[in-house]
């Protein structure tokens, strides 16, 4: 189906829903690289007008990636919840924006709506929203998940302690873990990106974190962000696996590029379900969320698997994959991919807020890796801005990297200090289980023993 | 605002670097990460803040530095004894380079003309030196690396050496194809890290032609003073080049058979 909107005496036409969504997307380099961006600022606004008038029901009849060719599309359509959709069924995209920002859209109603929205609907409405809209709507939505800590509660901000090392050196990683714990980091997860993706390294690193965790009775969970098949093999071999990680994208072809499909993720989910390593959390619930996914705009295009769909819509489609598996943690790695997808601090900031909003709207426990590479037009000031905005939007967690400098992945994320700043300035606190630990004897013991980090290592 | 019944969480955190300067040194000895940074309130102390800004400034300057192609060309001519061609990608400037990697992989019209008249091979090896994301890396390391590598290539027929401005790795595919070279070797500046603004990468491709994928190349990266030194890098490159020539392939297939090298 084609769409049109006239501005003055110029009539802008859009050949398909896919094209309409792409042209309506706020400017970013990745859509220009793909040849999908609006040709002019006015064409973009015309597309936004046309999109605003589009009934939400249209998204149930026209797919941006063909149903027959793509299992992510099939997942989205086959799991769409018509009952949950009913309250907004008569809305256009523009009316959905108005409703999301209205006082009628309470936390409870927004949570109930999530399974009734498709990723494309979420992406569409986000394209009509300014930064403050993305913050105001997301801030109303709380998605709480539990393993050994509860992440996402109101008034809380958690962190993933990311103690990466260029050669996976145990003492080096232990030093970064210790540094982070002493600065109150690690209540979302202690998660290592391994330099080597194999079962031996993964198992060794999982044992390292587990030893520290048990020795100091730290209420948190561990993860080694290896490929899901590596984690499953490690699990099979008896490694202490808490969270199962995988990078995911919004098309079947892009996921194939990651070496995964939905069946493989389902297999991993089933394997994880039998572990029961979660603990009793502060509210009396036993933690049973254990999947961890990372995403990021541009991943499908970089795999040449984007089907001429704009990168932000595809990012939202990745969230359909994520929500299928009740994840503990989901974060966009927003500025990691480079300036050919998100050129500068402005594009990175908007993308981070879009991803957070769309994820929360679709029912996900969204965190964000607030980050950039050295060839992006961005710096620490841009990260401070996005960090602060995400804090006001109610982000579940951010990263904690020593001094914001990841010496393995060679990019800049947020530091332990950044998280302390955000907690202080917005009156946010760590997850309740972790907060209690920080004030208890085990933490004092850790601080006393800190002089000898090598003692953290497994025997 | 949330009502605060308990003290803010950071009040229980030790001032670790202040109370124990030895801890900072100890942590630092174990990892290149920026561990053991102190706090003023919850913020970074001035010295650490400026150290970071300096590292970022160096990386940024490396990304935006312009390659001194004339000097490099002259030095390359000197050590190789070959003709040197100065080529340019289809990207006009750095801003476009960062946003359009596709244009950094193809030559501009003038370079195509120059290359077409360069005298086609057959050649055993097309050697390209491209600025990539760090002209600094190329200016520091390309010549000393080649001084170690060239003696290992005695008897190889070397195509005219190409200096490419605003180039990406895959531009070696077009150049190698036009020159009818059996192999291409692209030396290129890698994306600067905060502590590595001058890291050089080297990519080898068997029968280069447009459409080759990264899986069909072999790569050696992190060539710099604090990383892989020139002798080590030249030994690895010499090995890959010789193996590629005798086995007539590069990429995943070659790498899997080269594990002995990385363990040696």
């Amino acid at each position: 189906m084609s769409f049109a909107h006239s501005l003055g005496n110029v009539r802008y036409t859009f050949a398909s829903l896919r094209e309409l969504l792409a042209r309506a997307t706020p400017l970013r380099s990745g859509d220009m690289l793909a040849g999908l961006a609006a040709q002019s600022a006015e064409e973009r606004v015309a597309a936004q007008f046309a999109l605003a008038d589009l009934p939400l029901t249209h998204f149930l009849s026209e797919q941006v990636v063909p149903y027959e060719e793509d299992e992510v599309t099939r997942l989205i359509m086959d799991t769409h919840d018509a009952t949950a959709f009913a309250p907004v069924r008569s809305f256009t995209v523009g009316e959905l924006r108005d409703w999301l920002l209205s006082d009628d859209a309470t936390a409870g109603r927004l949570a109930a709506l999530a399974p009734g929205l498709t990723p494309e609907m979420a992406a569409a409405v986000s394209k009509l929203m300014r930064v403050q809209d993305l913050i105001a709507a997301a801030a109303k939505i709380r998605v709480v998940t539990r393993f050994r800590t509860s992440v996402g509660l109101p008034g809380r901000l958690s962190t993933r302690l990311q103690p990466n090392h260029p050669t996976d050196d145990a003492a080096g990683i232990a030093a970064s873990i210790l540094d982070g714990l002493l600065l109150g980091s690690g209540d979302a997860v202690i998660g290592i990106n391994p330099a080597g993706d194999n079962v031996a390294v993964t198992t060794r690193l999982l044992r390292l974190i587990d030893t520290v965790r048990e020795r100091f009775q730290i209420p948190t969970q561990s993860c080694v962000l290896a490929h899901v098949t590596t984690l499953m093999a490690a699990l099979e071999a008896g490694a202490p696996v808490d969270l199962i990680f995988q990078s995911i994208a919004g098309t079947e072809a892009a996921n194939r590029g990651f070496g995964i499909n939905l069946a493989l993720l389902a297999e991993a989910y089933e394997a994880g379900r039998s572990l029961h390593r979660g603990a009793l959390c502060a509210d009396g619930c036993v933690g049973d969320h254990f999947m961890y996914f990372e995403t990021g705009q541009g991943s499908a295009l970089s795999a040449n698997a984007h089907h001429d769909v704009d990168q932000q819509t595809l990012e939202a489609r990745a969230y359909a994959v994520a929500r299928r598996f009740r994840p503990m943690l989901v974060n966009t790695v927003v500025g990691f991919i480079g300036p050919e997808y998100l050129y500068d601090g402005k594009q990175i900031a908007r993308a981070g807020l879009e991803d957070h909003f769309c994820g929360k709207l679709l029912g996900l426990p969204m965190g964000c890796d607030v980050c950039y590479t050295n060839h992006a037009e961005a710096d620490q000031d841009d990260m401070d801005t996005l960090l602060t905005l995400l804090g006001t939007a109610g982000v579940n967690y951010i990263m904690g990297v020593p001094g914001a400098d990841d010496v393995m992945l060679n990019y800049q994320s947020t530091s332990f200090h950044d998280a302390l700043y955000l907690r202080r300035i917005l009156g946010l606190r760590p997850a309740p289980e972790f907060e209690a630990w920080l004030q208890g004897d085990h933490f004092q013991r850790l601080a006393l023993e800190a002089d000898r980090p090598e003692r953290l290592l497994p025997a | 605002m949330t009502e605060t019944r308990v003290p803010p969480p950071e009040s229980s955190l030790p001032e670790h670097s202040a109370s124990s300067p030895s801890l900072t040194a100890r942590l630092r000895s174990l990892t290149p990460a920026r561990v053991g940074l102190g706090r003023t309130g919850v913020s970074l102390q001035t010295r650490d803040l400026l150290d970071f800004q300096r590292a970022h400034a160096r990386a940024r300057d490396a990304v935006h530095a312009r390659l001194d192609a004339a000097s490099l060309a002259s030095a390359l001519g000197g050590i190789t004894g070959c003709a040197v061609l100065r080529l340019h990608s289809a990207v006009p400037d750095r801003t476009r380079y960062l946003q359009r990697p596709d244009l950094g992989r193809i030559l501009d019209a003038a370079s195509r003309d120059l290359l077409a008249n360069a005298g086609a091979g057959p050649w055993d090896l097309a050697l390209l030196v491209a600025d990539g994301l760090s002209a600094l890396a190329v200016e520091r390391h390309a010549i000393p690396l080649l001084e170690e590598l060239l003696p290992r290539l005695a008897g190889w027929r070397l195509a005219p050496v190409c200096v490419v401005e605003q180039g990406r790795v895959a531009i070696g595919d077009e150049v190698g194809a036009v020159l009818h070279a059996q192999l291409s070797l692209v030396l290129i500046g890698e994306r600067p890290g905060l502590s590595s603004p001058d890291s050089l990468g080297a990519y080898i491709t068997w029968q280069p032609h447009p459409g080759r994928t990264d899986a069909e190349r072999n790569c050696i990266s992190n060539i710099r003073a604090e990383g892989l030194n020139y002798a080590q890098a030249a030994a690895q490159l010499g090995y890959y080049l010789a193996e590629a020539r005798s086995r007539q392939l590069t990429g995943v297939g070659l790498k899997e058979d080269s594990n002995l090298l990385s363990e040696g």
Side-chain angles (χ1 to χ4, degrees), chain B residues 113-195:
Chain B
D113 289 345
L114 189 62
L115 196 63
N117 298 317
W123 308 103
D124 295 320
L125 180 68
L127 173 62
L128 293 88
V129 183
D131 47 7
L133 282 164
S134 175
L136 188 63
V138 169
E139 284 175 3
R140 282 193 183 158
H141 307 310
I143 296 296
L145 172 64
L146 288 171
E147 283 171 343
E148 294 277 346
L149 178 65
L150 288 170
R152 295 170 182 273
L153 301 179
W156 287 55
R157 291 171 298 174
L158 286 188
V161 178
C162 299
V163 173
V164 188
E165 289 179 76
Q166 308 287 7
R168 300 261 175 185
V169 171
I171 206 163
D173 295 344
E174 179 179 355
V175 172
V178 175
L179 289 172
H180 297 288
Q182 284 272 289
L183 279 160
S184 68
L185 169 61
V186 179
L187 303 182
I188 190 165
E190 297 183 321
R191 188 184 91 195
L194 216 53
S195 55

Side-chain angles (χ1 to χ4, degrees), chain A residues 14-32:
Chain A
F14 309 98
S16 62
L17 178 59
R18 185 168 60 197
E19 186 175 307
L20 179 66
L21 288 166
R23 302 292 192 270
T25 305
L27 183 69
R28 65 206 57 198
S29 50
D31 292 336
M32 293 169 71

Side-chain angles (χ1 to χ4, degrees), chain A residues 47-62:
Chain A
Q48 290 171 343
F49 270 110
L51 187 59
D53 288 341
L54 187 67
L56 290 178
T57 49
H58 184 83
F59 290 84
L60 301 177
S61 61
E62 183 178 352

Side-chain angles (χ1 to χ4, degrees), chain B:
Chain B
M1 276 314 245
T2 311
E3 189 191 341
T4 306
R5 289 192 207 83
V6 292
E10 70 266 21
S11 68
S12 65
L13 302 177
E15 289 280 350
H16 62 63
S17 70
S19 62
S20 171
S22 68
L23 175 60
T24 296
R26 212 168 178 79
L27 291 173
R28 285 269 167 148
S29 73
L30 297 171
T31 172
R34 287 170 200 263
V35 290
L37 302 179
R39 300 188 274 125
T40 171
V42 295
S43 304
L44 280 181
Q45 291 171 350
T46 304
R47 168 66 57 168
D48 297 324
L49 172 81
L50 292 178
D51 280 348
F52 184 104
Q53 299 292 43
R54 192 245 171 172
H56 185 239
R58 265 195 326 180
R60 296 288 296 151
D61 285 347
V63 168
H64 288 276
R66 178 129 195 229
L67 182 68
D68 183 351
S71 302
L72 181 64
S74 145
L76 284 168
I79 63 162
T80 62
C82 297
V84 180
L85 304 174
R86 282 186 54 187
L87 306 177
H88 202 289
S89 79
V91 172
D93 55 42
R94 202 75 321 207
T95 304
R96 233 74 60 86
Y97 179 86
L98 293 171
Q99 297 185 61
R100 293 294 303 270
D102 52 331
L103 297 180
R105 299 182 189 119
I106 55 174
L107 293 170
D108 67 7
S111 298
R112 282 194 174 144
D113 289 345
L114 189 62
L115 196 63
N117 298 317
W123 308 103
D124 295 320
L125 180 68
L127 173 62
L128 293 88
V129 183
D131 47 7
L133 282 164
S134 175
L136 188 63
V138 169
E139 284 175 3
R140 282 193 183 158
H141 307 310
I143 296 296
L145 172 64
L146 288 171
E147 283 171 343
E148 294 277 346
L149 178 65
L150 288 170
R152 295 170 182 273
L153 301 179
W156 287 55
R157 291 171 298 174
L158 286 188
V161 178
C162 299
V163 173
V164 188
E165 289 179 76
Q166 308 287 7
R168 300 261 175 185
V169 171
I171 206 163
D173 295 344
E174 179 179 355
V175 172
V178 175
L179 289 172
H180 297 288
Q182 284 272 289
L183 279 160
S184 68
L185 169 61
V186 179
L187 303 182
I188 190 165
E190 297 183 321
R191 188 184 91 195
L194 216 53
S195 55
S196 54
D198 64 337
S199 184
L200 186 75
Y203 292 79
I204 302 170
T205 309
W206 171 254
Q207 292 192 339
H209 58 81
R212 280 288 194 205
T213 68
D214 287 343
E216 295 171 313
R217 312 183 201 284
N218 293 102
C219 166
I220 291 172
S221 71
N222 200 28
I223 302 167
R224 63 191 176 102
E226 302 80 5
L228 198 62
N229 68 38
Y230 305 134
Q232 292 169 319
Q236 292 191 21
L237 285 173
Y239 173 87
Y240 272 131
L241 286 168
E243 284 293 298
R245 186 151 77 148
S246 74
R247 302 203 33 220
Q248 311 212 335
L249 82 151
T250 49
V252 178
L254 187 61
K255 183 174 171 63
E256 280 169 358
D257 295 336
S258 307
N259 285 338
L260 281 177
L261 182 76
S262 56
E263 285 163 19

